[in-house]
Amino acid sequence: VVNFKKIKDTLEQMKKWYGNLGYIDWNYLPEQNFDPKAKTMDLSFTFQPGKQFTVHRIYFTGNTKTRDKVMRREFALEEGKVFSTAALDLSVLRLNQLGFFDKIEEKDYEVKPDEKTGQVDVTVKVKEKSMQSIGLTGGVSGISGSFIGVNYTTNNLRGRGESLEFALTVGTRTTDFVVSFSEPYLLDTRWSMGLSIFNQRYRFDTYSAYGFASFIGGQPYELFTRHTTGATINISRPLGFSFWRMGTSYSYQNISIT
């Protein structure tokens, strides 16, 4: 049975296939022959792929802090290579996943083909978000006692795409200090590296109300204190332009009990 919706959907899919090969002007000429007596229809298409386009230039606008190469290295689309609509969609998705910008919509990027040269220019407009945050924490807990803390995080250090995190918590029973750094493209390669250094102190007491004193026995009795110092390093690499990664990590800890 003739289903024109299926025919239209198939042609749209074929347009994407040709667009992935650089034929962004692909078109078709349909021809339909009906036989009313037999109630049949002959349907034929003449495909007109047109010229295969290559990428001439890729431009980024709106990135006043983020460096150009931080965005360019996320692009599966490359200058001098055959244009691909699938590669462009993947590139925009990878930019959105960085978290540096407001969501990039279809209206925010433009493809300008040049029929004479068979090349296209791609322009991507972004709007940067806040790249750092500072927070204060504090409270009382039956487990940790009374505590106060400060933390600082940036996911795009100096516009290089690196992340840095610092956190310090100090309390009657616990002290926690952590510094973490992540480099997504180590030495401009596709290897990423993360490093974390930490120092923790935790005092184990008998039961006390909010870290101060027991309602029954008065002052809490200190059992022992555990100190943990260490570091963790990890490296990984994506498999092609997929979202799969392979990597390894190593952690060292020095734990003492007093």
Side-chain angles (χ1 to χ4, degrees), residues 12 20 38 45 51 58 65 81 83 85 88 94 98 110 125 140 145 149 157 172 206 212 214 218 233 240 249 257:
E12 287 295 325
N20 293 341
F45 296 95
K51 186 178 294 186
I58 300 174
K65 297 180 181 178
K81 300 292 183 66
F83 178 81
T85 52
L88 177 59
R94 290 171 63 90
L98 288 176
E110 183 180 8
K125 183 179 180 181
V140 291
L157 184 64
T172 55
T206 56
F212 294 106
S214 170
I233 185 172
S249 65
I257 303 294

Side-chain angles (χ1 to χ4, degrees), residues 26-31 44-48:
W26 176 84
N27 207 340
Y28 61 90
L29 295 176
E31 184 178 347
S44 63
F45 296 95
T46 302
F47 289 170
Q48 298 176 327

Side-chain angles (χ1 to χ4, degrees), residues 11-12 14-15 18-19 23-28 47-50:
L11 291 172
E12 287 295 325
M14 297 196 71
K15 184 177 182 179
Y18 273 87
Y23 297 99
I24 59 179
D25 289 336
W26 176 84
N27 207 340
Y28 61 90
F47 289 170
Q48 298 176 327

Side-chain angles (χ1 to χ4, degrees), residues 15-250:
K15 184 177 182 179
K16 292 182 180 179
W17 290 342
Y18 273 87
N20 293 341
L21 298 175
Y23 297 99
I24 59 179
D25 289 336
W26 176 84
N27 207 340
Y28 61 90
L29 295 176
E31 184 178 347
Q32 304 172 1
N33 294 315
F34 296 91
D35 187 341
K37 294 183 179 180
K39 296 183 179 181
T40 59
M41 181 188 74
D42 294 333
L43 182 64
S44 63
F45 296 95
T46 302
F47 289 170
Q48 298 176 327
K51 186 178 294 186
Q52 188 180 41
F53 284 82
T54 58
V55 181
H56 179 232
R57 289 287 184 268
I58 300 174
Y59 300 103
F60 301 102
T61 62
N63 53 316
T64 57
K65 297 180 181 178
T66 305
R67 304 193 180 197
D68 184 85
K69 76 171 186 177
V70 172
M71 305 172 65
R72 191 173 297 274
R73 65 194 182 189
E74 298 297 332
F75 249 60
L77 205 62
E78 298 181 14
E79 294 175 350
K81 300 292 183 66
V82 174
F83 178 81
S84 169
T85 52
L88 177 59
D89 292 340
L90 176 60
S91 302
V92 173
L93 174 62
R94 290 171 63 90
L95 281 181
N96 281 325
Q97 289 184 328
L98 288 176
F100 302 163
F101 319 105
D102 290 342
K103 185 177 180 181
I104 303 172
E105 306 283 356
E106 188 173 350
K107 61 181 177 61
D108 298 320
Y109 57 90
E110 183 180 8
V111 178
K112 296 181 179 179
D114 189 334
E115 295 288 345
K116 294 182 180 180
T117 61
Q119 296 179 325
V120 298
D121 290 336
V122 180
T123 303
V124 182
K125 183 179 180 181
V126 299
K127 183 179 180 181
E128 291 180 318
K129 297 194 296 187
S130 176
M131 295 179 287
Q132 54 189 355
S133 64
I134 300 176
L136 294 173
T137 59
V140 291
S141 166
I143 297 177
S144 301
S146 56
F147 62 92
I148 186 172
V150 61
N151 61 78
Y152 168 80
T153 303
T154 176
N155 62 350
N156 192 6
L157 184 64
R158 298 177 60 190
R160 295 176 177 268
E162 303 162 342
S163 62
L164 176 66
E165 181 179 359
F166 165 85
L168 174 64
T169 302
V170 179
T172 55
R173 287 188 177 186
T174 182
T175 301
D176 195 353
F177 173 74
V178 179
V179 177
S180 300
F181 175 78
S182 177
E183 170 56 73
Y185 285 83
L186 183 63
L187 300 177
D188 287 330
T189 67
R190 301 202 68 200
W191 289 94
S192 63
M193 183 196 73
L195 177 64
S196 177
I197 301 174
F198 52 89
N199 189 327
Q200 300 172 335
R201 174 190 66 88
Y202 188 82
R203 192 184 77 196
F204 292 84
D205 294 348
T206 56
Y207 172 76
S208 62
Y210 301 106
F212 294 106
S214 170
F215 285 120
I216 300 175
Q219 295 295 326
Y221 180 74
E222 180 179 349
L223 299 178
F224 64 91
T225 300
R226 183 181 65 194
H227 295 268
T228 304
T229 303
T232 299
I233 185 172
N234 62 77
I235 59 173
S236 64
R237 179 183 175 90
L239 300 177
F241 275 96
S242 70
F243 297 102
W244 291 85
R245 302 183 69 91
M246 61 176 238
T248 184
S249 65
Y250 176 79

